[in-house]
mmCIF file of all heavy atoms in Angstrom:
data_model
loop_
_atom_site.group_PDB
_atom_site.id
_atom_site.type_symbol
_atom_site.label_atom_id
_atom_site.label_comp_id
_atom_site.label_asym_id
_atom_site.label_seq_id
_atom_site.Cartn_x
_atom_site.Cartn_y
_atom_site.Cartn_z
ATOM 1 N N PHE A 31 -20.336 -29.989 41.812
ATOM 2 C CA PHE A 31 -21.558 -30.026 41.027
ATOM 3 C C PHE A 31 -21.663 -28.784 40.170
ATOM 4 O O PHE A 31 -21.502 -27.679 40.648
ATOM 5 C CB PHE A 31 -22.785 -30.077 41.952
ATOM 6 C CG PHE A 31 -22.767 -31.261 42.860
ATOM 7 C CD1 PHE A 31 -22.468 -31.113 44.201
ATOM 8 C CD2 PHE A 31 -23.033 -32.519 42.371
ATOM 9 C CE1 PHE A 31 -22.438 -32.209 45.040
ATOM 10 C CE2 PHE A 31 -23.009 -33.616 43.210
ATOM 11 C CZ PHE A 31 -22.704 -33.465 44.550
ATOM 12 N N TRP A 32 -21.930 -28.974 38.879
ATOM 13 C CA TRP A 32 -22.211 -27.870 37.981
ATOM 14 C C TRP A 32 -22.880 -28.427 36.734
ATOM 15 O O TRP A 32 -22.757 -29.605 36.441
ATOM 16 C CB TRP A 32 -20.975 -27.066 37.629
ATOM 17 C CG TRP A 32 -19.958 -27.823 36.850
ATOM 18 C CD1 TRP A 32 -19.835 -27.899 35.496
ATOM 19 C CD2 TRP A 32 -18.905 -28.636 37.370
ATOM 20 N NE1 TRP A 32 -18.786 -28.695 35.138
ATOM 21 C CE2 TRP A 32 -18.198 -29.156 36.270
ATOM 22 C CE3 TRP A 32 -18.503 -28.975 38.648
ATOM 23 C CZ2 TRP A 32 -17.116 -29.996 36.433
ATOM 24 C CZ3 TRP A 32 -17.422 -29.807 38.793
ATOM 25 C CH2 TRP A 32 -16.749 -30.298 37.696
ATOM 26 N N GLN A 33 -23.557 -27.580 36.051
ATOM 27 C CA GLN A 33 -24.241 -27.988 34.834
ATOM 28 C C GLN A 33 -23.264 -27.939 33.670
ATOM 29 O O GLN A 33 -22.555 -26.951 33.486
ATOM 30 C CB GLN A 33 -25.404 -27.034 34.566
ATOM 31 C CG GLN A 33 -26.611 -27.735 34.099
ATOM 32 C CD GLN A 33 -27.795 -26.784 33.996
ATOM 33 O OE1 GLN A 33 -27.736 -25.640 34.412
ATOM 34 N NE2 GLN A 33 -28.854 -27.271 33.430
ATOM 35 N N THR A 34 -23.239 -28.986 32.869
ATOM 36 C CA THR A 34 -22.310 -29.005 31.746
ATOM 37 C C THR A 34 -22.824 -28.225 30.559
ATOM 38 O O THR A 34 -22.051 -27.702 29.783
ATOM 39 C CB THR A 34 -22.038 -30.448 31.271
ATOM 40 O OG1 THR A 34 -23.264 -31.015 30.830
ATOM 41 C CG2 THR A 34 -21.421 -31.276 32.365
ATOM 42 N N GLY A 35 -24.129 -28.185 30.378
ATOM 43 C CA GLY A 35 -24.681 -27.502 29.227
ATOM 44 C C GLY A 35 -24.630 -28.321 27.952
ATOM 45 O O GLY A 35 -25.033 -27.862 26.898
ATOM 46 N N TYR A 36 -24.149 -29.556 28.015
ATOM 47 C CA TYR A 36 -24.030 -30.367 26.815
ATOM 48 C C TYR A 36 -25.325 -31.107 26.481
ATOM 49 O O TYR A 36 -25.518 -31.526 25.379
ATOM 50 C CB TYR A 36 -22.906 -31.392 26.948
ATOM 51 C CG TYR A 36 -21.538 -30.785 27.152
ATOM 52 C CD1 TYR A 36 -20.615 -31.406 27.968
ATOM 53 C CD2 TYR A 36 -21.168 -29.602 26.546
ATOM 54 C CE1 TYR A 36 -19.357 -30.867 28.150
ATOM 55 C CE2 TYR A 36 -19.907 -29.060 26.740
ATOM 56 C CZ TYR A 36 -19.015 -29.705 27.542
ATOM 57 O OH TYR A 36 -17.780 -29.173 27.731
ATOM 58 N N GLY A 37 -26.199 -31.323 27.445
ATOM 59 C CA GLY A 37 -27.462 -32.011 27.183
ATOM 60 C C GLY A 37 -27.384 -33.504 27.427
ATOM 61 O O GLY A 37 -26.321 -34.063 27.700
ATOM 62 N N ASP A 38 -28.540 -34.160 27.317
ATOM 63 C CA ASP A 38 -28.636 -35.585 27.609
ATOM 64 C C ASP A 38 -28.264 -36.482 26.439
ATOM 65 O O ASP A 38 -28.080 -37.662 26.607
ATOM 66 C CB ASP A 38 -30.076 -35.953 27.996
ATOM 67 C CG ASP A 38 -30.483 -35.306 29.301
ATOM 68 O OD1 ASP A 38 -29.601 -34.882 30.042
ATOM 69 O OD2 ASP A 38 -31.696 -35.239 29.547
ATOM 70 N N ASP A 39 -28.227 -35.940 25.242
ATOM 71 C CA ASP A 39 -28.083 -36.782 24.062
ATOM 72 C C ASP A 39 -26.641 -37.130 23.713
ATOM 73 O O ASP A 39 -26.344 -37.510 22.606
ATOM 74 C CB ASP A 39 -28.772 -36.141 22.864
ATOM 75 C CG ASP A 39 -28.198 -34.771 22.534
ATOM 76 O OD1 ASP A 39 -27.463 -34.225 23.365
ATOM 77 O OD2 ASP A 39 -28.498 -34.268 21.443
ATOM 78 N N ILE A 40 -25.739 -37.033 24.665
ATOM 79 C CA ILE A 40 -24.342 -37.343 24.371
ATOM 80 C C ILE A 40 -23.877 -38.618 25.055
ATOM 81 O O ILE A 40 -22.698 -38.895 25.121
ATOM 82 C CB ILE A 40 -23.416 -36.168 24.742
ATOM 83 C CG1 ILE A 40 -23.475 -35.878 26.228
ATOM 84 C CG2 ILE A 40 -23.716 -34.960 23.912
ATOM 85 C CD1 ILE A 40 -22.378 -34.976 26.707
ATOM 86 N N ARG A 41 -24.798 -39.398 25.574
ATOM 87 C CA ARG A 41 -24.408 -40.647 26.200
ATOM 88 C C ARG A 41 -23.586 -41.501 25.248
ATOM 89 O O ARG A 41 -23.835 -41.523 24.059
ATOM 90 C CB ARG A 41 -25.654 -41.424 26.621
ATOM 91 C CG ARG A 41 -25.969 -41.220 28.077
ATOM 92 C CD ARG A 41 -27.188 -41.995 28.473
ATOM 93 N NE ARG A 41 -28.243 -41.001 28.584
ATOM 94 C CZ ARG A 41 -29.405 -41.093 28.008
ATOM 95 N NH1 ARG A 41 -29.715 -42.116 27.277
ATOM 96 N NH2 ARG A 41 -30.300 -40.150 28.162
ATOM 97 N N ASN A 42 -22.617 -42.224 25.779
ATOM 98 C CA ASN A 42 -21.764 -43.125 25.001
ATOM 99 C C ASN A 42 -21.040 -42.412 23.871
ATOM 100 O O ASN A 42 -20.875 -42.935 22.779
ATOM 101 C CB ASN A 42 -22.589 -44.284 24.427
ATOM 102 C CG ASN A 42 -23.236 -45.092 25.510
ATOM 103 O OD1 ASN A 42 -22.634 -45.325 26.551
ATOM 104 N ND2 ASN A 42 -24.461 -45.502 25.291
ATOM 105 N N SER A 43 -20.593 -41.221 24.113
ATOM 106 C CA SER A 43 -19.952 -40.415 23.081
ATOM 107 C C SER A 43 -18.438 -40.492 23.179
ATOM 108 O O SER A 43 -17.887 -40.961 24.169
ATOM 109 C CB SER A 43 -20.389 -38.957 23.228
ATOM 110 O OG SER A 43 -21.772 -38.857 23.080
ATOM 111 N N ARG A 44 -17.791 -40.000 22.155
ATOM 112 C CA ARG A 44 -16.341 -39.864 22.138
ATOM 113 C C ARG A 44 -16.008 -38.425 22.503
ATOM 114 O O ARG A 44 -16.689 -37.500 22.061
ATOM 115 C CB ARG A 44 -15.785 -40.190 20.750
ATOM 116 C CG ARG A 44 -16.157 -41.553 20.251
ATOM 117 C CD ARG A 44 -15.545 -42.647 21.132
ATOM 118 N NE ARG A 44 -15.859 -43.952 20.596
ATOM 119 C CZ ARG A 44 -16.603 -44.828 21.243
ATOM 120 N NH1 ARG A 44 -17.114 -44.539 22.402
ATOM 121 N NH2 ARG A 44 -16.828 -46.013 20.732
ATOM 122 N N ILE A 45 -14.953 -38.246 23.264
ATOM 123 C CA ILE A 45 -14.584 -36.908 23.727
ATOM 124 C C ILE A 45 -13.095 -36.690 23.515
ATOM 125 O O ILE A 45 -12.278 -37.550 23.842
ATOM 126 C CB ILE A 45 -14.911 -36.728 25.222
ATOM 127 C CG1 ILE A 45 -16.396 -36.923 25.465
ATOM 128 C CG2 ILE A 45 -14.458 -35.366 25.712
ATOM 129 C CD1 ILE A 45 -16.793 -36.927 26.923
ATOM 130 N N LEU A 46 -12.749 -35.528 22.955
ATOM 131 C CA LEU A 46 -11.355 -35.093 22.827
ATOM 132 C C LEU A 46 -11.275 -33.637 23.263
ATOM 133 O O LEU A 46 -12.240 -32.889 23.120
ATOM 134 C CB LEU A 46 -10.884 -35.190 21.378
ATOM 135 C CG LEU A 46 -10.474 -36.549 20.868
ATOM 136 C CD1 LEU A 46 -10.127 -36.473 19.388
ATOM 137 C CD2 LEU A 46 -9.293 -37.090 21.629
ATOM 138 N N VAL A 47 -10.110 -33.241 23.754
ATOM 139 C CA VAL A 47 -9.923 -31.864 24.202
ATOM 140 C C VAL A 47 -8.643 -31.303 23.599
ATOM 141 O O VAL A 47 -7.610 -31.961 23.609
ATOM 142 C CB VAL A 47 -9.836 -31.791 25.748
ATOM 143 C CG1 VAL A 47 -9.543 -30.375 26.208
ATOM 144 C CG2 VAL A 47 -11.108 -32.308 26.383
ATOM 145 N N ASP A 48 -8.733 -30.090 23.059
ATOM 146 C CA ASP A 48 -7.546 -29.344 22.671
ATOM 147 C C ASP A 48 -7.330 -28.301 23.764
ATOM 148 O O ASP A 48 -8.058 -27.317 23.852
ATOM 149 C CB ASP A 48 -7.729 -28.656 21.319
ATOM 150 C CG ASP A 48 -6.483 -27.885 20.893
ATOM 151 O OD1 ASP A 48 -5.749 -27.393 21.766
ATOM 152 O OD2 ASP A 48 -6.247 -27.762 19.688
ATOM 153 N N GLU A 49 -6.347 -28.540 24.631
ATOM 154 C CA GLU A 49 -6.111 -27.652 25.766
ATOM 155 C C GLU A 49 -5.557 -26.297 25.329
ATOM 156 O O GLU A 49 -5.805 -25.286 25.971
ATOM 157 C CB GLU A 49 -5.186 -28.321 26.766
ATOM 158 C CG GLU A 49 -5.846 -29.515 27.433
ATOM 159 C CD GLU A 49 -4.944 -30.216 28.414
ATOM 160 O OE1 GLU A 49 -3.816 -29.742 28.661
ATOM 161 O OE2 GLU A 49 -5.376 -31.252 28.952
#
Side-chain angles (χ1 to χ4, degrees):
F31 301 106
W32 65 92
Q33 221 173 352
T34 62
Y36 299 144
D38 294 342
D39 59 347
I40 62 167
R41 262 180 255 129
N42 300 321
S43 299
R44 303 296 183 244
I45 300 173
L46 280 176
V47 176
D48 181 330
E49 293 179 4

